[in-house]
Amino acid sequence: MSASPSGSEVQGGSRWKQETVELLSSMRFAIALFTIICIASVIGTVVQQHQPPVNYVNQFGPFWAEVFGRLGLYAVYSTAWFLLILVFLVVSTSLCVARHTPKILADLRNYKENIRESALLAFHLKASGALPLDRAQALARVSEVLANDGWKGKAQVREGGVMVAARQGAANKLGYIAAHSAIVLICIGGLLDGDLIVNAQMALLGKSTYAGGGLIKDVAPEHRLSTANPTFRANLYVPEKAVAGTAVINLTSGIVLQDLPFQVELKKFVVEYYDTGMPKLFASDIVVHDADGTKTEAKVKVNEPFIHKGIAIYQSSFEDGGSKLTLMARPMGRPGAPFEVKGEVGGVTTLTNAASQTDKLQLEFTGLRTINVENLAAENAGSTSGADVRKVDLVGSLGEHLGSGARVKADKKLHNVGPSVTYKLRDASGQAREYSNYMIPVELDGQKVFLAGVRDSPDQAFRYLRIPADERSTLDDWMQMKAALADPASRMEAARRYVRQSAPADKPELAQQLEASVLRALTLFAGAEAVRKDAPSAGLVALQDFIETNVPEADRSRTSEVLIRILNGGLFELLNLVRERAGLAALPPGEDAQRFMGQAVLSLSDSFAYPAPLLLSLTGFDQVQASVFQVTRAPGQKLVYLGCGFLILGVFAMLYIRERRLWIWIEGPADAPSTTVTLALSATRQTMDTDKDFDALKTRMLQTP
């Protein structure tokens, strides 16, 4: 025999269910959910979403980056806890609507005509007066006034008179239902169009994210979602003259491929720019290929999607589609002849040192920009670079990052500084730095310079080495100077030439001392002589170390001036020496030569801190554009639009429609020649307008005909 539950157990279970429903449908629970959603939205706004992990490590440190990652703060809107909060909000609001809607609908049908006559005297807004009309005439008078003012009423005949109950602004309570229903619709639409359905398919259908590389066609089926997927939001990458039919859904743990029921061909990508260099228009001429062979041509612009078979194709952004590049590689820290390198954006090649087959670098081509419009106003031109490449920076408008997204100040001089290429050099240990070099020289401070940028990680700004261009607008003179500076014989010859130009012919002992000083300055500058064993240095830093180590403090200023003067003279002779070897005429002294040498000395000094054995300069390219489309199937979109409409109507009704109730008691026998009329008004919000409206209503209703 089985025992049946006792009455107390049943009552306890019912009470528990009732309390749970009360909690879920309570306002305090909904407010708590809204608070958490607001905090999560702030986090999602402040913390950049879906960035590379290294960015978060650099920003927050290893410990907190891992903690925040486990909490899902790098993809807030896709995390399980955020979606769960939305589900609870839907349940809470739905229960709230379900509990209050019957009461509201019943209240809409109830005019509350059963109120007692004596209760009218307790209202704040009340009035009373006598009318020389019988009860039927008084009722007709009251009904006419109410109808003219838009009141709806109901009369109840009593023994001592007639009670008329009227109401106005009933839509105020309907606004409550509309606003709360809107929250439910918007949240459901957001859940449908979010990652909830995708995550559910992965959990129930055995799908998993993919974090590897290779070709899309080679990805296994467990990492793909079928064309029957009811909702998704993915990115489709299509180069010019190419066709693609598989989009990518980015999730926290990796990617999932979404097969489309059609393929998209990019015929041509069009981009137009403002004078500031920001894109004004980018659009794509596409052809959609269906499985049955049908072709549909369309033009996709920003905010002007093309919808095909229930899937919207948006123009999201544009990227390089594999442009062909030709670069000239010039050795920086060792002797060697320049050599040509070919590749394409997104490709990888290996550079091997001919002297050591084990010394290899992996060259990764990462980007090409054909237009870089920058603000080169005189006041933003900046100063010459320092002795450390880490402190060398381009003009203020370019200092934040490469490209045409620079901040433009009020007083501006916009100029297209030409194409630029970005690439990475990765050593055998896997460490890589990113480089960004301009193709043509940029004029800064009256001197044309080639800009060679470098950064250690993607979250850093590029630091730029400014290499002066010669009169042929090439790097040749500077590169040959750098190579000759590393050659002891060339330094010796430059020192001798400087002495022949500067030392008196009748004082050979002075010439010998001057030659030794020039050679010492060039040797120190080239880093060929160690000043400090604990920290070997080169460039201007080496000269500074030499002076601080060997010269008394009182004589350092004068010694510095002399040493810099003979260094500049020696480097100038070194320049003319390499020009002579190249079959070029010597650079004549003058303002142009002075500007060139001023920048050359600084850039040579900075180059010793330039962390690359090679400098790659762009010499040619064949650009290939690519479009990034966002393809979406969003069945919840209509629910969201409907919810937004309900929300507007509901808020408008609650804020601008005032609910009022009016009771009029017409007292007196049916056959009496006069009656007494008492009226009282109740309103949800008491305002000065309410008082004025009641006074006007009282006057019209009680005035003698």
Side-chain angles (χ1 to χ4, degrees), residues 387-600:
D388 186 351
V389 73
R390 291 168 298 180
K391 298 179 181 178
V392 176
D393 198 5
L394 192 55
V395 291
S397 61
L398 292 177
E400 183 177 355
H401 55 81
L402 180 65
S404 50
R407 299 174 182 173
V408 179
K409 298 186 179 180
D411 198 2
K412 57 190 177 182
K413 178 184 176 183
L414 300 176
H415 182 66
N416 179 18
V417 296
S420 62
V421 62
T422 55
Y423 59 89
K424 290 182 180 179
L425 288 176
R426 192 178 303 276
D427 58 24
S429 65
Q431 299 296 317
R433 287 188 176 91
E434 188 175 12
Y435 300 85
S436 178
N437 299 341
Y438 280 79
M439 182 178 184
I440 60 177
V442 179
E443 185 171 345
L444 300 176
D445 298 331
Q447 172 64 46
K448 289 186 176 181
V449 294
F450 287 94
L451 305 172
V454 58
R455 64 181 178 185
D456 299 320
S457 61
D459 63 315
Q460 294 180 349
F462 281 104
R463 311 181 303 271
Y464 289 89
L465 178 65
R466 306 176 185 180
I467 303 175
D470 52 35
E471 75 275 11
R472 305 179 306 282
S473 295
T474 69
L475 290 165
D476 294 345
D477 281 2
W478 187 87
M479 295 299 300
Q480 291 170 8
M481 279 183 68
K482 183 170 177 59
L485 187 62
D487 178 31
S490 297
R491 295 198 300 267
M492 177 67 73
E493 179 61 24
R496 291 172 180 170
R497 292 190 175 204
Y498 179 79
V499 170
R500 288 198 296 268
Q501 294 288 339
S502 305
D506 56 345
K507 295 182 179 180
E509 67 283 357
L510 182 59
Q512 187 176 1
Q513 294 176 0
L514 182 58
E515 181 179 331
S517 298
V518 176
L519 182 60
R520 185 70 178 277
L522 292 174
T523 303
L524 289 170
F525 189 79
E529 179 180 338
V531 180
R532 298 167 53 190
K533 296 182 179 180
D534 58 333
S537 56
L540 297 175
V541 176
L543 298 184
Q544 181 180 354
D545 289 344
F546 174 80
I547 293 173
E548 291 178 351
T549 304
N550 299 279
V551 180
E553 186 173 356
D555 299 330
R556 289 177 184 175
S557 177
R558 182 174 55 84
T559 304
S560 297
E561 294 178 3
V562 174
L563 197 57
I564 292 296
R565 186 168 60 250
I566 63 176
L567 172 67
N568 289 339
L571 289 174
F572 184 70
E573 294 302 328
L574 190 67
L575 169 63
N576 283 328
L577 174 62
V578 298
R579 288 176 65 90
E580 180 181 311
R581 291 173 179 174
L584 300 173
L587 189 65
E591 186 177 350
D592 292 341
Q594 185 176 2
R595 273 198 302 266
F596 178 87
M597 287 304 302
Q599 185 60 51

Side-chain angles (χ1 to χ4, degrees), residues 356-413:
S356 173
Q357 294 297 319
T358 61
D359 186 9
K360 296 182 179 180
L361 287 174
Q362 182 172 286
L363 173 60
E364 304 170 6
F365 303 97
T366 57
L368 169 71
R369 291 186 66 98
T370 59
I371 295 178
N372 291 281
V373 178
E374 305 298 348
N375 182 7
L376 302 183
E379 65 273 19
N380 295 332
S383 59
T384 54
S385 59
D388 186 351
V389 73
R390 291 168 298 180
K391 298 179 181 178
V392 176
D393 198 5
L394 192 55
V395 291
S397 61
L398 292 177
E400 183 177 355
H401 55 81
L402 180 65
S404 50
R407 299 174 182 173
V408 179
K409 298 186 179 180
D411 198 2
K412 57 190 177 182
K413 178 184 176 183

Side-chain angles (χ1 to χ4, degrees), residues 666-680:
I666 305 174
E667 185 178 4
D671 54 353
S674 63
T675 56
T676 301
V677 177
T678 302
L679 61 157

Side-chain angles (χ1 to χ4, degrees), residues 282-346:
F282 48 95
S284 300
D285 294 327
I286 65 172
V287 179
V288 179
H289 299 264
D290 290 316
D292 59 2
T294 304
K295 298 181 181 180
T296 306
E297 294 189 3
K299 192 179 191 69
V300 181
K301 300 180 181 179
V302 177
N303 298 325
E304 295 183 19
F306 173 65
I307 300 176
H308 187 71
K309 292 187 175 180
I311 298 177
I313 304 174
Y314 293 87
Q315 180 72 60
S316 176
S317 61
F318 60 94
E319 295 182 2
D320 194 284
S323 298
K324 311 298 181 182
L325 305 175
T326 303
L327 301 97
M328 183 63 67
R330 308 169 191 268
M332 287 284 287
R334 54 193 173 189
F339 58 94
E340 190 175 77
V341 178
K342 290 182 178 292
E344 67 178 39
V345 175

Side-chain angles (χ1 to χ4, degrees), residues 89 135 142 201 223 226 263 273 300 349 366 574:
L89 184 60
R135 194 165 71 180
V142 168
Q201 291 184 75
H223 307 305
S226 72
Q263 290 188 319
Y273 295 91
V300 181
T349 188
T366 57
L574 190 67

Side-chain angles (χ1 to χ4, degrees), residues 5-22:
S6 64
S8 60
E9 291 177 348
V10 173
Q11 185 178 3
S14 300
R15 184 169 57 252
W16 179 84
K17 293 179 181 179
Q18 183 178 359
E19 290 177 353
T20 301
V21 173
E22 288 284 347

